[in-house]
């Protein structure tokens, strides 16, 4: 066998291995549930067809190899009550965040899947957009949420409250009913004491929103206290707020609860990153494991969010760089 043939064969095997690795255990076009609508991604048409059947439209953005998308499908989309509601009340359409299929959005503008995702500022997968019969976005879920939280979101979208009550307020009332008194662990970062001033003249502010009886909150807090996270501690002024914090006041005697509600925090835990003037630059309020959470901290602390507006592209680049440095990248 010639050297050139060996070289090209090795390259082909390498590319195949890379493709298989990047695809992981989940492929959008293969693993989308069979009850999703077969759509030409002409969304004005999809809206009209859904409305004609008395339904609303759910637009799902996923990507190949996304463990959170797989968890959504394995957990949420196998819950009988969730599946029943989605089949009866919604037309569900899947979009590949990095796909190349033609798409027409609600405004009549033409895109391909990946440019549509960019136009709609899709930062995390899965992201689900719930649209009314006029194409207005009623609710956006950015990232994975557990079946009970997801079901609560569906009930909100199907309620008569969407014009007068924000989902953040609706969900807070649901969460309040199940609240238990659970001590939260102390954290390694030097968290500010109230009253809070959410603008620092020299660094970003990372506002961590938690609540009692929240296992994921404890997960995030344990990560922030770990050696892995300490490299970013100096980049942020840290503030921790409780979702129902009535006593922790902000500047101007605003309670923590009021500030969080004004920010429309729908799920906890959440981290809201504010610049030196107190203006929000980035947030995450979907379930993330350690690698993705560390990538979010790196994305903001390094200033990469200013030059690369798409977090998922930054995430791919960071993963490649870490692998080139010999690190074992475990995304789940």
């Amino acid at each position: 066998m010639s050297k050139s043939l060996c070289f090209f064969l090795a390259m082909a095997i390498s590319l195949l291995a890379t493709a298989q690795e990047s695809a992981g255990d989940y492929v959008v076009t293969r693993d989308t549930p069979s009850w999703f609508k077969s759509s030409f991604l002409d969304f004005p048409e999809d809206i009209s067809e859904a409305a004609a059947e008395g339904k609303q439209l759910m637009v799902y953005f996923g990507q190949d190899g996304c463990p959170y998308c797989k968890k959504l499908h394995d957990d949420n989309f196998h819950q009988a009550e969730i599946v029943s509601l989605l089949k009866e009340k919604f037309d569900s359409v899947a979009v590949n965040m990095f796909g190349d299929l033609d798409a027409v959005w609600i405004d009549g503008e033409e895109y391909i899947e990946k440019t549509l995702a960019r136009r709609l500022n899709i930062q995390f997968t899965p992201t689900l957009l719930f649209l009314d019969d006029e194409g207005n976005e009623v609710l956006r879920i950015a990232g994975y949420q557990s079946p009970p939280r997801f079901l609560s979101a569906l009930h909100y979208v199907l309620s008569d409250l969407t014009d007068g009550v924000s989902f953040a307020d609706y969900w807070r009332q649901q969460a309040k009913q199940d609240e238990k008194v659970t001590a939260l662990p102390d954290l390694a970062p030097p968290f500010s004491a109230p009253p809070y001033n959410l603008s620092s003249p020299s660094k970003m502010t990372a506002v961590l929103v938690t609540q009692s009886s929240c296992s994921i909150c404890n997960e995030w807090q344990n990560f922030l206290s770990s050696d892995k996270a300490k490299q970013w501690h100096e980049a942020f002024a840290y503030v921790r707020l409780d979702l129902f914090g009535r006593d922790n006041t902000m500047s101007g005697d605003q309670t923590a609860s009021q500030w969080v509600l004004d920010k429309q925090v729908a799920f906890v835990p959440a981290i809201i990153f504010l610049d030196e003037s107190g203006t929000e630059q980035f947030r995450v309020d979907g379930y993330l494991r350690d690698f993705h959470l560390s990538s979010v901290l790196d994305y903001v602390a390094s200033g990469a969010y200013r030059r690369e507006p798409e977090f998922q592209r930054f995430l791919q680049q960071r993963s490649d760089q870490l692998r080139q440095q010999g690190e074992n990248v475990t995304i789940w």
Side-chain angles (χ1 to χ4, degrees), residues 194-198 241-242 245-264:
Y196 301 117
N197 183 1
L198 300 185
L241 303 180
D242 189 276
R246 303 293 178 183
D247 300 325
N248 299 331
T249 58
M250 325 296 291
S251 298
D253 295 328
Q254 184 184 39
T255 66
S257 181
Q258 289 168 340
W259 185 88
V260 171
L261 184 58
D262 287 347
K263 284 293 184 181
Q264 294 294 293

Side-chain angles (χ1 to χ4, degrees), residues 6-20:
C6 289
F7 171 78
F8 285 113
L9 180 60
M11 285 294 292
I13 293 173
S14 175
L15 289 172
L16 177 60
T18 301
Q20 290 173 336

Side-chain angles (χ1 to χ4, degrees), residues 128-314:
L128 300 111
L129 307 184
F130 295 89
L131 308 179
D132 65 17
D133 56 7
E134 295 181 355
N136 300 309
E137 185 177 309
V138 175
L139 180 65
R140 174 183 295 221
I141 302 178
Y144 173 78
Q145 296 294 344
S146 66
R149 293 181 175 195
F150 189 82
L151 188 58
S152 181
L154 293 183
H155 286 308
Y156 170 77
V157 172
L158 294 171
S159 74
D160 296 326
L161 300 172
T162 54
D163 287 337
V165 178
S166 71
F167 177 64
D169 196 28
Y170 173 86
W171 184 80
R172 283 155 59 95
Q173 295 304 315
Q174 305 301 311
K176 186 71 174 178
Q177 294 173 9
D178 298 328
E179 185 184 6
K180 300 176 183 177
V181 178
T182 303
L184 297 173
D186 292 332
L187 297 180
F191 278 75
S192 302
Y196 301 117
N197 183 1
L198 300 185
S199 60
S200 170
S202 59
K203 58 178 66 176
M204 301 280 287
T205 301
V207 182
L208 174 66
V209 184
T210 63
Q211 76 168 100
S212 301
S213 186
C214 169
S215 60
I216 303 174
C217 298
N218 290 341
E219 241 182 80
W220 282 24
Q221 292 182 129
N222 289 334
F223 172 77
L224 289 174
S225 301
S226 70
D227 290 338
K228 291 180 181 178
K230 287 180 180 177
Q231 61 184 299
W232 295 291
H233 284 181
E234 291 300 318
F236 301 108
Y238 284 91
V239 171
R240 182 175 65 184
L241 303 180
D242 189 276
L243 183 68
F244 302 106
R246 303 293 178 183
D247 300 325
N248 299 331
T249 58
M250 325 296 291
S251 298
D253 295 328
Q254 184 184 39
T255 66
S257 181
Q258 289 168 340
W259 185 88
V260 171
L261 184 58
D262 287 347
K263 284 293 184 181
Q264 294 294 293
V265 176
F267 296 110
V268 293
I271 303 179
I272 301 175
F273 296 94
L274 310 175
D275 65 16
E276 292 80 357
S277 68
T279 303
E280 181 178 337
Q281 297 298 320
F282 194 72
R283 78 164 62 187
V284 52
D285 58 2
Y287 178 55
L288 295 180
R289 299 291 290 267
D290 288 3
F291 175 71
H292 290 86
L293 195 53
S294 67
S295 296
V296 166
L297 294 176
D298 192 17
Y299 180 61
V300 179
S302 66
Y305 72 95
R306 295 189 184 97
R307 59 181 179 271
E308 174 50 78
E310 293 182 83
F311 171 69
Q312 291 295 332
R313 294 190 183 278
F314 167 82

